Amino acid sequence: MGAVIYDQHFNSNELYVIVMMTVGFTIYRLLPRTLSPLQTAFTMLISVISGLIFDHTIAIPPFDLYDIGDNSSYEVFDFISYLMYAPYGYLYIYGFERFRISGIVTIGYMLAWASIALLFEWLGVKSGVYHYKHGYYILYSIPIYLVVLSVQLSAYRAAFSNHRWQKN
């Protein structure tokens, strides 16, 4: 089966990615530095990597639940679009650290961020970034976001926990 072409022009889907990256990185630059440069790089990198892993897990065969961008095959801009995850992953951990989220509040915090991610995905669908296939529905993304947020927070805690460096 050949590639499905949704679009061949620079328009709303590319503009959406550029705006999301610009807004995200602008907010990052305006916030006071709470995380170290190593924590910042780690958080941004794990955000991009987890986006790539989870998107490629469900967006390619055998699942093939949606396409990204102008057509069903990957283009250079599709890979650039993964950079938009970096500042938002940073903001997720930044808020967690800045507001000292702990205990049961962590669940509410993760649900709030899953809701934000769902809103961004919905805007992405409206802008033509995501094209659902095979009966995929936006609400199916909720557990995926919860897993991604859990993995990101767990990896951050494992890498930067104060208790990690203490000898028993």
mmCIF file of all heavy atoms in Angstrom, residues 35-69:
data_model
loop_
_atom_site.group_PDB
_atom_site.id
_atom_site.type_symbol
_atom_site.label_atom_id
_atom_site.label_comp_id
_atom_site.label_asym_id
_atom_site.label_seq_id
_atom_site.Cartn_x
_atom_site.Cartn_y
_atom_site.Cartn_z
ATOM 1 N N LEU A 35 15.762 23.995 38.040
ATOM 2 C CA LEU A 35 16.498 22.769 37.764
ATOM 3 C C LEU A 35 17.906 23.097 37.282
ATOM 4 O O LEU A 35 18.126 24.115 36.619
ATOM 5 C CB LEU A 35 15.765 21.939 36.703
ATOM 6 C CG LEU A 35 14.312 21.572 36.985
ATOM 7 C CD1 LEU A 35 13.735 20.769 35.824
ATOM 8 C CD2 LEU A 35 14.175 20.818 38.283
ATOM 9 N N SER A 36 18.835 22.230 37.603
ATOM 10 C CA SER A 36 20.214 22.405 37.135
ATOM 11 C C SER A 36 20.256 22.189 35.623
ATOM 12 O O SER A 36 19.325 21.619 35.040
ATOM 13 C CB SER A 36 21.130 21.395 37.827
ATOM 14 O OG SER A 36 20.881 20.092 37.317
ATOM 15 N N PRO A 37 21.340 22.605 34.979
ATOM 16 C CA PRO A 37 21.461 22.339 33.537
ATOM 17 C C PRO A 37 21.383 20.845 33.206
ATOM 18 O O PRO A 37 20.785 20.464 32.202
ATOM 19 C CB PRO A 37 22.838 22.914 33.183
ATOM 20 C CG PRO A 37 23.044 24.005 34.189
ATOM 21 C CD PRO A 37 22.414 23.497 35.452
ATOM 22 N N LEU A 38 21.949 19.995 34.070
ATOM 23 C CA LEU A 38 21.877 18.555 33.840
ATOM 24 C C LEU A 38 20.436 18.055 33.961
ATOM 25 O O LEU A 38 19.971 17.274 33.126
ATOM 26 C CB LEU A 38 22.774 17.807 34.830
ATOM 27 C CG LEU A 38 22.785 16.283 34.695
ATOM 28 C CD1 LEU A 38 23.290 15.867 33.314
ATOM 29 C CD2 LEU A 38 23.621 15.659 35.794
ATOM 30 N N GLN A 39 19.720 18.519 34.970
ATOM 31 C CA GLN A 39 18.325 18.132 35.140
ATOM 32 C C GLN A 39 17.486 18.624 33.961
ATOM 33 O O GLN A 39 16.602 17.915 33.483
ATOM 34 C CB GLN A 39 17.758 18.696 36.443
ATOM 35 C CG GLN A 39 18.314 18.030 37.680
ATOM 36 C CD GLN A 39 17.919 18.779 38.932
ATOM 37 O OE1 GLN A 39 18.118 19.995 39.033
ATOM 38 N NE2 GLN A 39 17.360 18.058 39.893
ATOM 39 N N THR A 40 17.755 19.832 33.503
ATOM 40 C CA THR A 40 17.027 20.396 32.369
ATOM 41 C C THR A 40 17.264 19.574 31.111
ATOM 42 O O THR A 40 16.311 19.197 30.417
ATOM 43 C CB THR A 40 17.455 21.862 32.144
ATOM 44 O OG1 THR A 40 17.133 22.616 33.311
ATOM 45 C CG2 THR A 40 16.781 22.462 30.930
ATOM 46 N N ALA A 41 18.524 19.285 30.815
ATOM 47 C CA ALA A 41 18.851 18.502 29.620
ATOM 48 C C ALA A 41 18.230 17.109 29.713
ATOM 49 O O ALA A 41 17.648 16.615 28.734
ATOM 50 C CB ALA A 41 20.363 18.402 29.460
ATOM 51 N N PHE A 42 18.329 16.479 30.871
ATOM 52 C CA PHE A 42 17.761 15.150 31.070
ATOM 53 C C PHE A 42 16.257 15.176 30.834
ATOM 54 O O PHE A 42 15.712 14.330 30.130
ATOM 55 C CB PHE A 42 18.071 14.664 32.496
ATOM 56 C CG PHE A 42 17.484 13.320 32.820
ATOM 57 C CD1 PHE A 42 18.176 12.161 32.511
ATOM 58 C CD2 PHE A 42 16.244 13.212 33.436
ATOM 59 C CE1 PHE A 42 17.641 10.913 32.811
ATOM 60 C CE2 PHE A 42 15.704 11.976 33.739
ATOM 61 C CZ PHE A 42 16.407 10.815 33.429
ATOM 62 N N THR A 43 15.581 16.138 31.438
ATOM 63 C CA THR A 43 14.125 16.230 31.340
ATOM 64 C C THR A 43 13.680 16.476 29.908
ATOM 65 O O THR A 43 12.742 15.842 29.426
ATOM 66 C CB THR A 43 13.610 17.350 32.267
ATOM 67 O OG1 THR A 43 14.038 17.058 33.596
ATOM 68 C CG2 THR A 43 12.122 17.465 32.236
ATOM 69 N N MET A 44 14.343 17.377 29.220
ATOM 70 C CA MET A 44 13.966 17.654 27.830
ATOM 71 C C MET A 44 14.256 16.454 26.931
ATOM 72 O O MET A 44 13.446 16.099 26.069
ATOM 73 C CB MET A 44 14.660 18.901 27.328
ATOM 74 C CG MET A 44 14.114 20.167 27.929
ATOM 75 S SD MET A 44 14.729 21.613 27.062
ATOM 76 C CE MET A 44 13.895 22.917 27.946
ATOM 77 N N LEU A 45 15.393 15.820 27.153
ATOM 78 C CA LEU A 45 15.762 14.676 26.330
ATOM 79 C C LEU A 45 14.809 13.497 26.551
ATOM 80 O O LEU A 45 14.354 12.871 25.585
ATOM 81 C CB LEU A 45 17.199 14.251 26.624
ATOM 82 C CG LEU A 45 17.773 13.144 25.751
ATOM 83 C CD1 LEU A 45 17.759 13.553 24.287
ATOM 84 C CD2 LEU A 45 19.184 12.816 26.197
ATOM 85 N N ILE A 46 14.481 13.218 27.792
ATOM 86 C CA ILE A 46 13.577 12.092 28.055
ATOM 87 C C ILE A 46 12.174 12.376 27.516
ATOM 88 O O ILE A 46 11.458 11.462 27.122
ATOM 89 C CB ILE A 46 13.565 11.692 29.545
ATOM 90 C CG1 ILE A 46 13.049 10.261 29.665
ATOM 91 C CG2 ILE A 46 12.733 12.616 30.377
ATOM 92 C CD1 ILE A 46 13.560 9.505 30.836
ATOM 93 N N SER A 47 11.791 13.644 27.460
ATOM 94 C CA SER A 47 10.490 14.002 26.892
ATOM 95 C C SER A 47 10.444 13.695 25.395
ATOM 96 O O SER A 47 9.465 13.133 24.898
ATOM 97 C CB SER A 47 10.198 15.485 27.116
ATOM 98 O OG SER A 47 10.197 15.785 28.483
ATOM 99 N N VAL A 48 11.485 14.064 24.702
ATOM 100 C CA VAL A 48 11.554 13.799 23.259
ATOM 101 C C VAL A 48 11.634 12.294 23.001
ATOM 102 O O VAL A 48 10.918 11.758 22.148
ATOM 103 C CB VAL A 48 12.754 14.539 22.628
ATOM 104 C CG1 VAL A 48 12.968 14.108 21.187
ATOM 105 C CG2 VAL A 48 12.552 16.043 22.717
ATOM 106 N N ILE A 49 12.468 11.610 23.766
ATOM 107 C CA ILE A 49 12.643 10.165 23.567
ATOM 108 C C ILE A 49 11.357 9.401 23.873
ATOM 109 O O ILE A 49 10.961 8.521 23.108
ATOM 110 C CB ILE A 49 13.817 9.642 24.423
ATOM 111 C CG1 ILE A 49 15.130 10.152 23.846
ATOM 112 C CG2 ILE A 49 13.813 8.121 24.492
ATOM 113 C CD1 ILE A 49 16.330 9.910 24.722
ATOM 114 N N SER A 50 10.691 9.754 24.975
ATOM 115 C CA SER A 50 9.446 9.035 25.295
ATOM 116 C C SER A 50 8.375 9.320 24.242
ATOM 117 O O SER A 50 7.601 8.426 23.885
ATOM 118 C CB SER A 50 8.952 9.370 26.703
ATOM 119 O OG SER A 50 8.660 10.736 26.837
ATOM 120 N N GLY A 51 8.342 10.547 23.713
ATOM 121 C CA GLY A 51 7.411 10.856 22.627
ATOM 122 C C GLY A 51 7.694 10.007 21.395
ATOM 123 O O GLY A 51 6.775 9.444 20.794
ATOM 124 N N LEU A 52 8.959 9.903 21.043
ATOM 125 C CA LEU A 52 9.341 9.078 19.899
ATOM 126 C C LEU A 52 8.982 7.614 20.119
ATOM 127 O O LEU A 52 8.391 6.968 19.243
ATOM 128 C CB LEU A 52 10.850 9.191 19.654
ATOM 129 C CG LEU A 52 11.323 10.346 18.806
ATOM 130 C CD1 LEU A 52 12.821 10.547 18.953
ATOM 131 C CD2 LEU A 52 10.981 10.107 17.350
ATOM 132 N N ILE A 53 9.315 7.093 21.279
ATOM 133 C CA ILE A 53 9.074 5.674 21.544
ATOM 134 C C ILE A 53 7.578 5.360 21.517
ATOM 135 O O ILE A 53 7.144 4.428 20.832
ATOM 136 C CB ILE A 53 9.696 5.256 22.896
ATOM 137 C CG1 ILE A 53 11.211 5.232 22.783
ATOM 138 C CG2 ILE A 53 9.168 3.890 23.335
ATOM 139 C CD1 ILE A 53 11.934 5.052 24.109
ATOM 140 N N PHE A 54 6.791 6.133 22.248
ATOM 141 C CA PHE A 54 5.365 5.821 22.325
ATOM 142 C C PHE A 54 4.643 6.112 21.011
ATOM 143 O O PHE A 54 3.774 5.347 20.604
ATOM 144 C CB PHE A 54 4.707 6.543 23.505
ATOM 145 C CG PHE A 54 4.963 5.853 24.808
ATOM 146 C CD1 PHE A 54 6.068 6.164 25.575
ATOM 147 C CD2 PHE A 54 4.112 4.855 25.243
ATOM 148 C CE1 PHE A 54 6.321 5.510 26.769
ATOM 149 C CE2 PHE A 54 4.342 4.186 26.436
ATOM 150 C CZ PHE A 54 5.454 4.512 27.204
ATOM 151 N N ASP A 55 5.003 7.206 20.350
ATOM 152 C CA ASP A 55 4.374 7.485 19.052
ATOM 153 C C ASP A 55 4.711 6.399 18.037
ATOM 154 O O ASP A 55 3.850 5.937 17.296
ATOM 155 C CB ASP A 55 4.797 8.846 18.516
ATOM 156 C CG ASP A 55 3.973 9.982 19.084
ATOM 157 O OD1 ASP A 55 3.000 9.704 19.818
ATOM 158 O OD2 ASP A 55 4.294 11.145 18.811
ATOM 159 N N HIS A 56 5.969 6.001 18.013
ATOM 160 C CA HIS A 56 6.362 4.990 17.032
ATOM 161 C C HIS A 56 5.832 3.611 17.393
ATOM 162 O O HIS A 56 5.683 2.763 16.518
ATOM 163 C CB HIS A 56 7.883 4.968 16.857
ATOM 164 C CG HIS A 56 8.375 6.093 16.013
ATOM 165 N ND1 HIS A 56 8.446 6.010 14.658
ATOM 166 C CD2 HIS A 56 8.764 7.343 16.341
ATOM 167 C CE1 HIS A 56 8.884 7.163 14.174
ATOM 168 N NE2 HIS A 56 9.075 7.987 15.177
ATOM 169 N N THR A 57 5.542 3.384 18.648
ATOM 170 C CA THR A 57 4.973 2.098 19.039
ATOM 171 C C THR A 57 3.556 1.936 18.503
ATOM 172 O O THR A 57 3.191 0.876 17.998
ATOM 173 C CB THR A 57 4.974 1.949 20.573
ATOM 174 O OG1 THR A 57 6.326 2.020 21.032
ATOM 175 C CG2 THR A 57 4.356 0.638 21.002
ATOM 176 N N ILE A 58 2.759 2.996 18.587
ATOM 177 C CA ILE A 58 1.359 2.850 18.174
ATOM 178 C C ILE A 58 1.050 3.470 16.808
ATOM 179 O O ILE A 58 -0.027 3.244 16.277
ATOM 180 C CB ILE A 58 0.395 3.417 19.239
ATOM 181 C CG1 ILE A 58 0.592 4.908 19.438
ATOM 182 C CG2 ILE A 58 0.540 2.662 20.541
ATOM 183 C CD1 ILE A 58 -0.453 5.536 20.343
ATOM 184 N N ALA A 59 1.989 4.211 16.238
ATOM 185 C CA ALA A 59 1.721 4.863 14.957
ATOM 186 C C ALA A 59 2.312 4.105 13.767
ATOM 187 O O ALA A 59 2.173 4.552 12.636
ATOM 188 C CB ALA A 59 2.243 6.293 14.973
ATOM 189 N N ILE A 60 2.988 2.991 14.027
ATOM 190 C CA ILE A 60 3.530 2.190 12.934
ATOM 191 C C ILE A 60 2.981 0.769 13.048
ATOM 192 O O ILE A 60 2.468 0.381 14.087
ATOM 193 C CB ILE A 60 5.081 2.183 12.941
ATOM 194 C CG1 ILE A 60 5.622 1.564 14.229
ATOM 195 C CG2 ILE A 60 5.628 3.583 12.734
ATOM 196 C CD1 ILE A 60 7.121 1.352 14.231
ATOM 197 N N PRO A 61 3.060 -0.019 11.961
ATOM 198 C CA PRO A 61 2.573 -1.395 12.038
ATOM 199 C C PRO A 61 3.272 -2.149 13.166
ATOM 200 O O PRO A 61 4.427 -1.871 13.448
ATOM 201 C CB PRO A 61 2.938 -1.975 10.668
ATOM 202 C CG PRO A 61 2.988 -0.774 9.767
ATOM 203 C CD PRO A 61 3.516 0.350 10.635
ATOM 204 N N PRO A 62 2.611 -3.023 13.851
ATOM 205 C CA PRO A 62 1.336 -3.620 13.502
ATOM 206 C C PRO A 62 0.120 -2.799 13.940
ATOM 207 O O PRO A 62 -0.992 -3.081 13.502
ATOM 208 C CB PRO A 62 1.353 -4.958 14.247
ATOM 209 C CG PRO A 62 2.149 -4.676 15.469
ATOM 210 C CD PRO A 62 3.198 -3.681 15.034
ATOM 211 N N PHE A 63 0.292 -1.810 14.816
ATOM 212 C CA PHE A 63 -0.868 -1.049 15.295
ATOM 213 C C PHE A 63 -1.324 -0.020 14.270
ATOM 214 O O PHE A 63 -2.475 0.003 13.897
ATOM 215 C CB PHE A 63 -0.554 -0.373 16.635
ATOM 216 C CG PHE A 63 -0.161 -1.345 17.706
ATOM 217 C CD1 PHE A 63 1.130 -1.397 18.173
ATOM 218 C CD2 PHE A 63 -1.093 -2.219 18.227
ATOM 219 C CE1 PHE A 63 1.490 -2.298 19.159
ATOM 220 C CE2 PHE A 63 -0.745 -3.128 19.212
ATOM 221 C CZ PHE A 63 0.561 -3.171 19.676
ATOM 222 N N ASP A 64 -0.418 0.875 13.859
ATOM 223 C CA ASP A 64 -0.686 1.857 12.801
ATOM 224 C C ASP A 64 -1.988 2.630 13.058
ATOM 225 O O ASP A 64 -2.859 2.700 12.205
ATOM 226 C CB ASP A 64 -0.733 1.154 11.446
ATOM 227 C CG ASP A 64 -0.552 2.116 10.285
ATOM 228 O OD1 ASP A 64 -0.010 3.225 10.503
ATOM 229 O OD2 ASP A 64 -0.963 1.775 9.163
ATOM 230 N N LEU A 65 -2.091 3.215 14.259
ATOM 231 C CA LEU A 65 -3.331 3.855 14.680
ATOM 232 C C LEU A 65 -3.482 5.305 14.238
ATOM 233 O O LEU A 65 -4.578 5.849 14.288
ATOM 234 C CB LEU A 65 -3.471 3.752 16.202
ATOM 235 C CG LEU A 65 -3.556 2.325 16.732
ATOM 236 C CD1 LEU A 65 -3.569 2.322 18.244
ATOM 237 C CD2 LEU A 65 -4.773 1.624 16.162
ATOM 238 N N TYR A 66 -2.401 5.940 13.835
ATOM 239 C CA TYR A 66 -2.513 7.302 13.319
ATOM 240 C C TYR A 66 -1.262 7.658 12.529
ATOM 241 O O TYR A 66 -0.238 6.983 12.617
ATOM 242 C CB TYR A 66 -2.763 8.320 14.437
ATOM 243 C CG TYR A 66 -1.696 8.399 15.496
ATOM 244 C CD1 TYR A 66 -0.586 9.224 15.355
ATOM 245 C CD2 TYR A 66 -1.805 7.667 16.673
ATOM 246 C CE1 TYR A 66 0.382 9.295 16.333
ATOM 247 C CE2 TYR A 66 -0.853 7.741 17.653
ATOM 248 C CZ TYR A 66 0.244 8.552 17.480
ATOM 249 O OH TYR A 66 1.210 8.629 18.457
ATOM 250 N N ASP A 67 -1.387 8.700 11.731
ATOM 251 C CA ASP A 67 -0.260 9.254 10.986
ATOM 252 C C ASP A 67 0.037 10.640 11.526
ATOM 253 O O ASP A 67 -0.837 11.305 12.084
ATOM 254 C CB ASP A 67 -0.596 9.353 9.489
ATOM 255 C CG ASP A 67 -0.734 7.994 8.826
ATOM 256 O OD1 ASP A 67 -0.038 7.051 9.255
ATOM 257 O OD2 ASP A 67 -1.538 7.876 7.883
ATOM 258 N N ILE A 68 1.270 11.061 11.326
ATOM 259 C CA ILE A 68 1.701 12.381 11.771
ATOM 260 C C ILE A 68 2.114 13.183 10.542
ATOM 261 O O ILE A 68 2.838 12.688 9.679
ATOM 262 C CB ILE A 68 2.898 12.279 12.745
ATOM 263 C CG1 ILE A 68 2.487 11.515 13.991
ATOM 264 C CG2 ILE A 68 3.431 13.648 13.111
ATOM 265 C CD1 ILE A 68 3.622 11.200 14.942
ATOM 266 N N GLY A 69 1.649 14.425 10.470
ATOM 267 C CA GLY A 69 2.098 15.335 9.427
ATOM 268 C C GLY A 69 1.355 15.226 8.117
ATOM 269 O O GLY A 69 0.183 14.874 8.064
#
